[in-house]
Amino acid sequence: MTALTRTELKLFLREKSGPAFGVGLPLLLLVIFGNLPFYHEHRADLGGRTLLDVYVPILVAFVLAMLALNVLPPVLAGYRERGVLRRLRTTPVGPVRVLAAQLILTLLTAAVSVTALLLVARFAFHVVLPRQMAGFLLAALLATLALTALGLLVSGAAPGGRSANALGAALFYPLVFLGGLFLPIQTMPATLRHISHFSPMGAAVTAMQDATSGHWPHWLTLVTLLAWAVAAAAAAARFFRWE
């Protein structure tokens, strides 16, 4: 398992697109937002917070969604397309360990990216660290599991790497919209806000924003994330094809 994870990590770093999108792009967005005066204005419709305060948890969820839906599916679908999973299935390694290695790789990349986001936001742009850190980490973990399960479902449905890219993007953009990347959840119309709260991205962002403000995430957001993780994982196990 260790050797396989190390090999997957080398392949991930060699591709360069994974680290660039998973770590570089969110940091670039943070730097752009952080240098716009508009994002440092305290707003009444955001409870006295600045747009940058609100956007840091959104960028964390954005990282998790990008890794799960834009990076993971093409890799696994490509393995199946090239017959890698079929061949590994006949060895002691087995395809299950390949999935586990991909999950570990996603968690490691997410941990590096989220840590970098929080530290840069704190020391470069004076955004406070989450006041309820335990609740923040729990919400981020559940969001990672829910979104990764969706990524595995996309991997199972896509016949090849290109179609996995297309399916992942088709799911990614509506989810990041519901997560508030283009319009903060607090400023959405009431109906859209309710829909957002029951999406994995909306629930994740709401839970992490609550934790950032010093409150334990609302139980409904955590249950929503857990439900998405269980349902998507069950569907991925049901429809995933090894060949």
Side-chain angles (χ1 to χ4, degrees), residues 2-243:
T2 302
L4 184 60
T5 303
R6 188 183 300 116
T7 300
E8 291 292 343
L9 178 61
K10 289 180 181 178
L11 292 172
F12 175 76
L13 295 175
R14 188 179 300 167
E15 286 292 330
K16 295 184 176 61
S17 59
F21 281 104
V23 180
L25 181 58
L27 284 176
L28 177 61
L29 290 175
L30 175 62
V31 170
I32 292 173
F33 294 154
N35 282 284
L36 295 175
F38 175 70
Y39 278 80
H40 292 272
E41 296 176 0
H42 294 273
R43 297 177 46 166
D45 59 348
L46 298 178
R49 292 173 293 178
T50 67
L51 266 178
L52 194 60
D53 293 333
V54 171
Y55 262 91
V56 170
I58 294 173
L59 289 175
V60 170
F62 174 79
V63 168
L64 303 179
M66 179 168 290
L67 290 171
L69 299 173
N70 292 341
V71 177
L72 178 62
V75 173
L76 289 179
Y79 281 175
R80 184 173 59 249
E81 187 178 28
R82 296 193 300 271
V84 174
L85 292 180
R86 175 172 51 83
R87 292 192 292 272
L88 285 176
R89 196 176 189 182
T90 64
T91 71
V93 172
V96 174
R97 287 190 177 89
V98 176
L99 294 179
Q102 290 295 330
L103 177 60
I104 292 171
L105 184 59
T106 299
L107 289 172
L108 288 174
T109 308
V112 171
S113 186
V114 169
T115 301
L117 273 173
L118 294 178
L119 291 179
V120 172
R122 175 68 186 93
F123 293 107
F125 303 110
H126 310 293
V127 177
V128 296
L129 292 172
R131 293 185 174 92
Q132 178 54 262
M133 185 60 75
F136 186 92
L137 293 177
L138 176 60
L141 177 60
L142 289 175
T144 303
L145 294 177
L147 292 167
T148 302
L150 283 174
L152 291 175
L153 180 57
V154 170
S155 303
R162 290 185 179 179
S163 57
N165 264 323
L167 286 173
L171 192 58
F172 173 77
Y173 288 106
L175 285 180
V176 296
F177 173 79
L178 291 173
L181 183 66
F182 306 110
L183 180 68
I185 296 173
Q186 294 87 339
T187 62
M188 289 180 178
T191 301
L192 187 58
R193 190 164 60 247
H194 290 312
I195 295 173
S196 170
H197 287 158
F198 287 98
S199 72
M201 283 288 287
V205 169
T206 302
M208 287 188 285
Q209 287 177 344
D210 287 344
T212 299
S213 299
H215 309 293
W216 186 262
H218 194 281
W219 66 268
L220 186 58
T221 60
L222 300 180
V223 169
T224 299
L225 289 172
L226 184 60
W228 274 101
V230 172
R238 169 68 178 82
F239 295 108
F240 197 88
R241 303 189 309 274
W242 301 111
E243 300 184 21

